[in-house]
Amino acid sequence: MEVSEPRLVLVFSGKRKSGKDYVTDLIQDRLGSDVCCILRLSGPLKQQYAEEHGLDLQQLLGPGPYKEQYRADMIRWGETRRHDDPGFFCRLATREACQPVWVVSDARRQTDLQFFCSEFPRQTQSVRVQSSEKTRKQRGWSFSTGVDDAESECGLDSGVEFDWIITNEADAPSLDEQLQPILKLAEEAVTSSRSRPPDDPVLVL
Ligand SMILES: Nc1ncnc2c1ncn2[C@@H]1O[C@H](COP(=O)(O)OP(=O)(O)OP(=O)(O)O)[C@@H](O)[C@H]1O
Ligand SMILES: C[C@@](O)(CCOP(=O)(O)O)CC(=O)O
């Protein structure tokens, strides 16, 4: 597989409108884009889906309501591709990543997490972003049958012991405070990548 070996892989998951993009953008902002890339598993999916259906890719990628009209069909479309090859979108999303810290913003299924845990067992850390339904509603979420009760939203609700849980709520400790240990881990991973020759073993977490 043609990927350069990352030093740290932070695999994020969370319900719709929990703030996965917001939190992962903040991490990249703190670490810098030379050190940290954001990988969206839904990126290559939305790109191919937009091409096939003549849709606006930028709107599909953004946080607004446009993508919600297509979500159920995009899920079905993606699942037909994942059926034979569960790592299909994971491989596409990671193929050009070259920074030492990878932030995967949208793991949804056990197979997504398994992909990173098996490709990068020593570097992978799982992170759950959680918000109350009330807060998610304020951010534009409403329950949609076939989406919020399907694997796309519930696949990681149980059976995973997350390494980190971030509560993205106004009355929780600030995100900077909660992210402190993760940012420290990332900084250590980057320091170790600078002080070791390229073929040395990666940081053992
Ligand atoms: N801590 C926060 N402070 C202010 N705005 C926030 C915060 N967290 C999230 N938001 C806003 O809430 C909306 C949803 O957040 P975001 O897009 O990050 O969620 P998501 O989990 O990636 O959602 P989805 O996958 O359903 O699109 C965005 O408009 C974002 O800017
Ligand atoms: C179709 C899908 O990739 C949409 C993800 O959109 P978003 O990350 O919520 O913006 C969800 C899925 O793959 O199940």
Side-chain angles (χ1 to χ4, degrees):
M1 189 176 59
E2 268 301 309
V3 293
S4 50
E5 187 90 335
R7 294 285 167 157
L8 178 67
V9 183
L10 298 168
V11 182
F12 279 76
S13 67
K15 299 286 193 183
R16 289 203 289 146
K17 307 300 172 207
S18 58
K20 301 179 293 297
D21 286 329
Y22 190 90
V23 172
T24 53
D25 283 350
L26 187 64
I27 290 185
Q28 190 184 43
D29 183 64
R30 297 295 181 263
L31 294 174
S33 52
D34 52 331
V35 158
C36 166
C37 58
I38 297 182
L39 306 175
R40 296 197 165 89
L41 304 183
S42 59
L45 187 160
K46 288 176 178 176
Q47 188 175 357
Q48 287 190 26
Y49 184 86
E51 276 168 24
E52 278 187 25
H53 296 81
L55 299 176
D56 181 336
L57 177 60
Q58 287 318 310
Q59 290 216 60
L60 281 184
L61 291 168
Y66 178 86
K67 66 183 173 186
E68 301 305 335
Q69 331 166 38
Y70 304 103
R71 185 181 291 272
D73 194 55
M74 279 197 293
I75 291 173
R76 275 192 295 276
W77 186 92
E79 276 169 358
T80 60
R81 272 141 192 87
R82 284 180 160 112
H83 180 261
D84 292 332
D85 180 4
F88 183 71
F89 295 113
C90 297
R91 278 200 305 282
L92 282 179
T94 53
R95 70 190 158 166
E96 283 169 15
C98 56
Q99 287 90 332
V101 178
W102 293 6
V103 173
V104 179
S105 72
D106 58 347
R108 296 173 172 279
R109 298 165 173 81
Q110 299 277 346
T111 50
D112 295 336
L113 201 46
Q114 279 157 11
F115 175 88
F116 291 99
C117 289
S118 78
E119 291 288 333
F120 308 109
R122 290 177 299 166
Q123 299 102 310
T124 296
Q125 296 269 293
S126 58
V127 191
R128 185 73 166 177
V129 180
Q130 60 181 26
S131 298
S132 65
E133 288 200 355
K134 183 169 169 239
T135 300
R136 292 168 58 215
K137 278 182 183 151
Q138 286 163 358
R139 296 178 187 149
W141 174 77
S142 62
F143 186 90
S144 172
T145 305
V147 171
D148 292 292
D149 52 0
E151 189 190 11
S152 172
E153 285 299 307
C154 307
L156 295 174
D157 280 1
S158 57
V160 183
E161 222 174 284
F162 294 103
D163 295 303
W164 307 94
I165 294 179
I166 303 296
T167 303
N168 184 20
E169 290 283 349
D171 60 3
S174 73
L175 288 175
D176 269 312
E177 191 180 325
Q178 294 184 68
L179 291 172
Q180 201 57 44
I182 298 178
L183 292 172
K184 188 162 177 277
L185 207 55
E187 277 151 17
E188 284 166 8
V190 174
T191 308
S192 92
S193 80
R194 286 189 180 135
S195 60
R196 287 161 195 251
D199 53 355
D200 251 24
V202 291
L203 178 79
V204 178
L205 298 169

